[in-house]
Amino acid sequence: MNLIPYNRVKLARDSQRPTGLDYIRNIFKGFIEFHGDRRYGDDPAIVGGIARLNGNPVTVIAIEKGHTAKERAYRNFGAAHPEGYRKALRLMKQAEKFGRPIVCFVDTSGAYCGIGAEERGQGQAIAENLMEMSTLCVPIISILIGEGGSGGALGLAVADRVWMLQNSVYSVISPEGCASILWKDAAKAEVAAARLKLTSEDAKSLGVIERILSEEDLGKKEFYDNIRTLLVEELGQLSSDLDLIGKRYERFRRIGADAVNKE
């Protein structure tokens, strides 16, 4: 299905689209959720804990939006506070200590930009995640399952492998925000979406992601089974890599290079 970029954005935002908890419940076994950043509090917008994948322990972290209006309000529509990113980092450091691979599911329009979040160090919390994830000595796979907005998404996406669902998006800013800045008119969001190169195909061509996941059976058992199989295979390969950190560094150094060379 060939859709214009802004239609992809609308699909990525659909409230009936599977959320992070849907993936956790259907792909992993025995999930145990952990709470709190040990500094300020807990953040329902980010869910994390330990689970089993094909019988092996893994750390799973997901940005959760919820489906209903009540759920979405409770999860702050997937806009995480700094304590959410600190909770995620606490769990990732714990995973490194015990040698567990990390799987992240990303779905956010961006980190919460309220006054309280800024007072509690939103920018620093995300920056610490970027720095620490770049040097974790366990495999990391991040999957964009809906919106991938700005630093809020990147705070869980400094990984060895980054995948996107076919109709998910990944961008430095929302189309509406971009249109408001460039043309002072949010109604030009469709034009902005086309120029932002935010689709999964764009991200793959730029080297931002490694794999596009089909949405043919989205939400069905076959869909989750396929992702589980891919995760098991990929984590098996990454776990045997003796130069994980070096290759992760080179991965991000290469982003966009191929596209520039073609020009």
Side-chain angles (χ1 to χ4, degrees), residues 31 34 59 125 148 158 189:
F31 176 66
F34 294 167
T59 289
V158 179

Side-chain angles (χ1 to χ4, degrees), residues 1 7 19 27 44 55 67-68 70 85 115 123 126 128 130 143 152 158 164 172 177 184 194-195 209 223-224:
M1 183 168 53
N7 283 345
T19 65
I27 294 175
H67 290 291
T68 67
K70 185 176 181 179
Y85 291 102
I115 293 175
I126 293 173
E128 285 179 351
L130 305 187
I143 306 176
V158 179
M164 286 178 70
V172 69
K184 313 299 181 187
R195 298 188 182 182
I209 66 169
F223 171 76
Y224 295 116

Side-chain angles (χ1 to χ4, degrees), residues 165-236:
L165 265 69
Q166 185 177 359
N167 291 318
S168 60
V169 294
Y170 200 11
S171 175
V172 69
I173 191 172
S174 70
E176 294 84 0
C178 178
S180 296
I181 292 171
L182 292 182
W183 302 294
K184 313 299 181 187
D185 184 2
K188 292 187 177 181
E190 185 174 313
V191 178
R195 298 188 182 182
L196 281 168
K197 302 294 184 184
L198 46 64
T199 69
S200 55
E201 290 84 1
D202 291 325
K204 183 106 171 18
S205 69
L206 292 169
V208 174
I209 66 169
E210 281 76 29
R211 187 189 295 270
I212 298 174
L213 301 173
S214 171
E215 296 189 14
E216 183 178 354
D217 297 312
L218 184 66
K220 297 181 180 178
K221 181 180 183 299
E222 296 80 4
F223 171 76
Y224 295 116
D225 288 346
N226 178 57
I227 295 179
R228 183 189 304 112
T229 299
L230 293 173
L231 284 171
V232 170
E233 292 175 354
E234 197 71 60
L235 288 175

Side-chain angles (χ1 to χ4, degrees), residues 8 28-29 37 62 69 146 161 210:
R8 295 282 187 94
F28 304 90
K29 300 292 184 183
D37 67 345
R161 301 288 185 270
E210 281 76 29

